[in-house]
Amino acid sequence: MDQSEGQEIRVRGQVQGVGFRPFVWQLARRLGLEGEVLNDGAGVLIRATGARLAEFLAALGTEAPPLARVDAVEARPAPVARSPFRIAPSAGGTVATRVTPDAATCPACLAEIRGTGRRRGYAFTNCTHCGPRYTILRELPYDRARTSMAPFPMCPDCRAEYEDPADRRFHAQPIACPACGPRLWLEAEGLCLLDGPVRAEGAEAPQGVLRAGDPVAEATRLLARGGILAVKGLGGFHLACDARDSGALRRLRLRKRRPGKPFALMATEEMAADIADLAQADQVLLRDPAAPVVLVRGRGLLPEEVAPGMTTLGIMRPYTPLHHRLIEAFGGPLVMTSANRSGAPQVVGNGEARAELAGIADAFLMHDRAIVRRLDDSVERARPPMVLRRARGRAPGTLPLPEGFGRAPRVLALGGQMKGAICLVKDGQALLSHHLGDLDEAQSFEAFTRAIADHAALFDHRAELVAVDLHPGYRATQEGRRMGLPLAEVQHHHAHLAACLGDALWPLGAGPVAGIVLDGTGLGSDGTIWGGELLLGSYREVLRVAHLAQAPLPGGEAAAREPWRNALVRLDAAGLGDLADRLFPDRPRETLRRAVAAGVNAPLSSSAGRLFDAVAACLGLAADRQSYEGEAAMRLEALEGTGAPYPFAGLDPAPMFRALATDLAAGVPPGAISDSFHRGLARAVCAPARALVAEGRAEAVALTGGAFQNARLLAACLAELAGVPVLTHRAVPPNDGGLALGQALIAAARHMGAAEAA
């Protein structure tokens, strides 16, 4: 075969399973190139020759398929066989086929659903650019036989599309149509309305008296009557109701036992623009293929029951054909919240839904494609960009490691107790898992242990080192100690700092950073409970420079549930015990004071989270008991007003509480008090961090920890740090969902450092 001088091109990133090879094939043929493209263990390999090769190279990044992420394009001269450009077989045994995240319905498939062809109205339409991926995978390699699409053999029409490299469904494993794919039905009051034959058996099959009909139309009528509908999505069931119906919202809260936590909404972009103030950045994020829940500012047009005490709404667009059909038929925004009782994981199976949601849902909109992996909806903010919960649409995507980690060992990091997530490091990439829930819940811990084996197979990963939190009571730490591998114990707040550094791609060899780490609680290296820290350091080592003045946690864990307890001890410490007596007359104040004085179940802590709780309680916000984690702080953040920053004595909040007491007595509006607190705290924590940079001891300031989910605090800190290099979270959650990445980076950095020293 003739050969010509050309180039061998390596493309790295998320380029397998996203239609990249057919894209390259079509691009090469359009530009008159010869050669081939194939998958291998490092990504996509291209050998190409032709006059328009430079144009081809430029287009690889700029015209890539929507689900692709091109991290690098590397080219070198090489002889290339002259023949019509082809898609070659994958390189033998070395291919590590990765699975891309589930993706929202693309415009082309949506047009088909709304059109007149064979997929008109079909609730499971998808292509290479959209549809289920990770949630249907049973095992690798990723092909139809190893997914929950296995029971649905392709019809001839789908097979023809699947095998045609010019078709956008080339090698789309979930490809389906009404002739061969999953079917939909509605169960309510002993009746079952089906839109076609189903293949499910046993508890997953339809239940009740079977009738033919349109399940979506009947579901829409139920929602219009104020009913509550269980809807089977990609990663689990949702509970849906009319977001404009106060009665339906109250019934859902009562049945779900969720008195105050905000509900997520599903709306078309037009509906979202009616109920929220959307900036361009919000609109771009809503249109993202991940289709996350986006936190946006509401217009106050929906009932208070949607998000009690909040000024923000969490909105996602319809991300499956079923969701599009449902919401377009209904004609208005829907609550779309995880289908579970409060505290339990989201249900995924049809039989499980009937058992667990009995008494909550009035009807069930189901189908016969099994959900293999439970995946919550991702939660994000566009202004400033931040991932608060990494889940459906983002996982199992990989993250590039910072410069200097190319020789990192294969690390498995197991995260913390709350917002469980694991992280695997290999070949310059990190695989940070989806949100697994709080590990004190049995089903969440089961999902956690499964994820360890699951991700090891997915990433072809054999751990050489395990990283865990210092806290011996964390179930993740205990699991890591049982593995029998070399163990790296990482302090909680150092892990937060490293996660922020990794998210910002701060190089391993760069200088130290001042880390402002504000969260609930974490075990410190001195055995006390930390949570409001100023750290100075790097991936390998860290120094605790300063911290919020400590206060007892009266009742231990009860202090996290009952904000008045924190207000009592902070007010007492500021000499304002009489104010505490007036604010909390019906609480057992003296009993608690005696316990604190005796040191009984009242450990000292520098927690910023408990400081937020204390201020919120002084304003009567969730003072007696929080109905969900962070409720008091979120309600405090939502208060609107302006005020001058409250004073701190260094990092001691006693003067702040005295100023707050004066404002309370003067009748200053709660919104102004909230603003004064946020700005005062920001000034207090940022001043010493700025000084570390000015003194040359730090090269930048990192803002991390769960408290920085608070957009108001983040904005105040960024204002205080104007002119200083600042690192913030973007793709990795600042809360405990990002801990595992930080643990992995610290463990890897220390291991490499020890190897170099040896």
Side-chain angles (χ1 to χ4, degrees):
M1 185 177 293
D2 291 342
Q3 289 192 333
S4 175
E5 189 63 25
Q7 290 192 332
E8 184 174 88
I9 304 160
R10 161 69 60 207
V11 186
R12 303 182 192 276
Q14 186 172 286
V15 289
Q16 294 186 10
V18 294
F20 202 86
R21 287 176 304 156
F23 152 70
V24 170
W25 179 81
Q26 292 177 44
L27 177 64
R29 293 207 162 197
R30 189 181 84 206
L31 298 178
L33 303 186
E34 296 176 310
E36 63 183 8
V37 59
L38 58 104
N39 281 340
D40 67 7
V44 166
L45 185 64
I46 305 167
R47 300 182 182 96
T49 184
R52 302 176 70 180
L53 195 54
E55 190 178 344
F56 174 80
L57 279 167
L60 287 176
T62 59
E63 298 182 23
L67 300 186
R69 189 194 74 234
V70 176
D71 293 337
V73 178
E74 304 158 0
R76 65 178 185 86
V80 176
R82 300 198 59 181
S83 63
F85 201 92
R86 68 181 187 126
I87 297 176
S90 298
T94 63
V95 178
T97 304
R98 304 227 182 125
V99 182
T100 55
D102 303 85
T105 306
C106 70
C109 283
L110 190 54
E112 273 189 285
I113 298 162
R114 293 168 173 165
T116 58
R118 65 192 179 94
R119 290 190 175 92
R120 174 177 173 79
Y122 185 54
F124 306 94
T125 301
N126 65 83
C127 70
T128 309
H129 306 314
C130 68
R133 299 288 197 280
Y134 189 47
T135 52
I136 62 171
L137 178 69
R138 297 194 188 279
E139 60 181 341
L140 289 172
Y142 175 56
D143 59 39
R144 192 181 187 92
R146 292 172 174 84
T147 73
S148 57
M149 287 298 296
F152 306 98
M154 293 181 216
C155 66
D157 287 336
C158 285
R159 173 63 65 181
E161 293 169 328
Y162 179 86
E163 294 176 350
D164 181 0
D167 195 285
R168 77 175 198 278
R169 293 191 167 92
F170 178 68
H171 285 188
Q173 303 304 331
I175 186 174
C177 75
C180 62
R183 305 303 303 192
L184 188 68
W185 69 86
L186 180 80
E187 294 180 17
E189 299 178 343
L191 296 176
C192 179
L193 202 63
L194 300 97
D195 74 348
V198 299
R199 289 177 171 82
E201 299 178 351
E204 301 306 300
Q207 305 290 307
V209 178
L210 307 183
R211 293 183 181 175
D214 185 345
V216 173
E218 185 58 35
T220 300
R221 285 190 282 271
L222 178 137
L223 290 167
R225 297 194 300 268
I228 297 170
L229 179 69
V231 183
K232 190 175 185 180
L234 283 181
F237 276 77
H238 288 101
L239 290 168
C241 73
D242 185 350
R244 303 161 299 189
D245 185 336
S246 294
L249 292 164
R250 286 193 294 270
R251 283 191 294 277
L252 179 54
R253 288 201 174 277
L254 181 64
R255 294 180 188 180
K256 188 174 163 66
R257 301 174 191 166
R258 184 170 170 169
K261 191 173 183 180
F263 285 140
L265 302 174
M266 183 171 280
T268 64
E269 194 169 325
E270 294 76 15
M271 295 172 190
D274 288 339
I275 60 177
D277 292 322
L278 301 181
Q280 183 176 5
D282 300 322
Q283 294 171 335
V284 169
L285 186 54
L286 281 167
R287 296 172 191 148
D288 190 281
V293 175
V294 181
L295 300 182
V296 295
R297 185 176 180 80
R299 291 187 168 181
L301 301 178
L302 294 178
E304 173 72 6
E305 291 87 354
V306 169
M310 300 293 115
T311 56
T312 57
L313 298 173
I315 302 177
M316 58 184 157
R317 68 180 173 102
Y319 57 82
T320 71
L322 174 57
H323 291 130
H324 278 284
R325 282 194 59 195
L326 183 64
I327 204 159
E328 289 173 11
F330 182 68
L334 292 171
V335 161
M336 199 68 71
T337 186
S338 294
N340 55 4
R341 296 189 186 275
S342 183
Q346 186 179 22
V347 302
V348 296
N350 296 343
E352 181 188 10
R354 296 185 194 101
E356 296 296 325
L357 304 180
I360 300 179
D362 298 309
F364 299 83
L365 192 56
M366 296 175 163
H367 55 76
D368 55 349
R369 185 181 68 204
I371 298 171
V372 177
R373 283 177 178 77
R374 179 183 290 111
L375 238 65
D376 291 294
D377 297 309
S378 290
V379 179
E380 305 183 16
R381 182 186 289 120
R383 297 176 289 160
M386 181 179 291
V387 173
L388 286 80
R389 183 168 70 196
R390 180 181 167 86
R392 178 195 50 75
R394 299 298 181 198
T398 58
L399 302 165
L401 294 183
E403 179 186 335
F405 282 93
R407 296 181 296 101
R410 296 189 177 191
V411 181
L412 167 63
L414 299 182
Q417 183 78 355
M418 306 288 284
K419 299 177 176 63
I422 66 171
C423 183
L424 290 75
V425 165
K426 172 189 169 186
D427 297 338
Q429 297 284 315
L431 182 68
L432 179 63
S433 81
H434 57 282
H435 171 81
L436 297 167
D438 297 341
L439 302 190
D440 54 2
E441 208 289 325
Q443 287 179 285
S444 295
F445 185 69
E446 180 183 350
F448 167 80
T449 55
R450 177 187 172 186
I452 294 171
D454 197 31
H455 283 70
L458 184 67
F459 210 33
D460 189 23
H461 187 278
R462 293 171 182 81
E464 303 168 67
L465 180 63
V466 177
V468 298
D469 192 275
L470 280 181
H471 200 302
Y474 283 1
R475 298 187 75 176
T477 300
Q478 294 165 0
E479 187 70 16
R481 289 177 172 176
R482 283 193 288 266
M483 290 182 174
L485 291 167
L487 190 72
E489 294 186 327
V490 179
Q491 197 278 321
H492 190 92
H493 299 90
H494 188 192
H496 273 306
L497 173 58
C500 186
L501 298 181
D503 198 357
L505 294 177
W506 189 256
L508 175 60
V513 169
I516 300 174
V517 192
L518 307 179
D519 68 351
T521 58
L523 182 63
S525 55
D526 60 357
T528 65
I529 299 174
W530 295 6
E533 312 305 316
L534 176 60
L535 306 179
L536 176 64
S538 62
Y539 295 106
R540 290 193 174 111
E541 56 187 6
V542 73
L543 173 69
R544 190 189 194 197
V545 175
H547 57 82
L548 286 174
Q550 293 179 317
L553 295 177
E557 291 184 3
R561 298 189 295 269
E562 301 177 14
W564 73 271
R565 294 170 179 259
N566 304 292
L568 177 74
V569 296
R570 285 292 187 182
L571 290 172
D572 283 357
L576 298 167
D578 56 340
L579 175 59
D581 292 338
R582 293 197 301 273
L583 290 175
F584 314 114
D586 300 325
R587 310 308 301 172
R589 303 180 311 282
E590 296 310 317
T591 300
L592 210 64
R593 283 168 171 150
R594 286 193 296 271
V596 167
V600 176
N601 198 20
L604 289 175
S605 172
S606 56
S607 169
R610 302 295 78 81
L611 180 63
F612 272 88
D613 290 348
V615 174
C618 289
L619 298 180
L621 304 173
D624 287 345
R625 189 174 184 87
Q626 302 193 78
S627 66
Y628 59 92
E629 182 194 5
E631 178 180 9
M634 289 172 63
R635 286 176 175 262
L636 182 66
E637 178 190 359
L639 295 176
E640 297 184 332
T642 56
Y646 281 150
F648 280 63
L651 290 175
D652 185 349
M656 182 273 296
F657 279 103
R658 289 191 282 269
L660 185 153
T662 299
D663 281 355
L664 280 176
V668 172
I673 292 175
S674 173
D675 190 57
S676 293
F677 165 66
H678 281 87
R679 294 175 62 195
L681 177 61
R683 179 165 295 180
V685 297
C686 290
R690 176 185 276 277
L692 289 172
V693 176
E695 294 164 6
R697 298 175 64 191
E699 294 186 3
V701 177
L703 305 179
T704 185
F708 282 107
Q709 296 174 113
N710 182 322
R712 195 168 187 172
L713 175 66
L714 179 58
C717 285
L718 291 174
E720 291 291 334
L721 294 168
V724 173
V726 179
L727 311 178
T728 60
H729 287 264
R730 295 178 68 92
V732 177
N735 56 47
D736 284 8
L739 274 179
L741 174 65
Q743 292 170 349
L745 292 171
I746 291 168
R750 288 176 175 171
H751 179 89
M752 289 188 292
E756 290 167 3

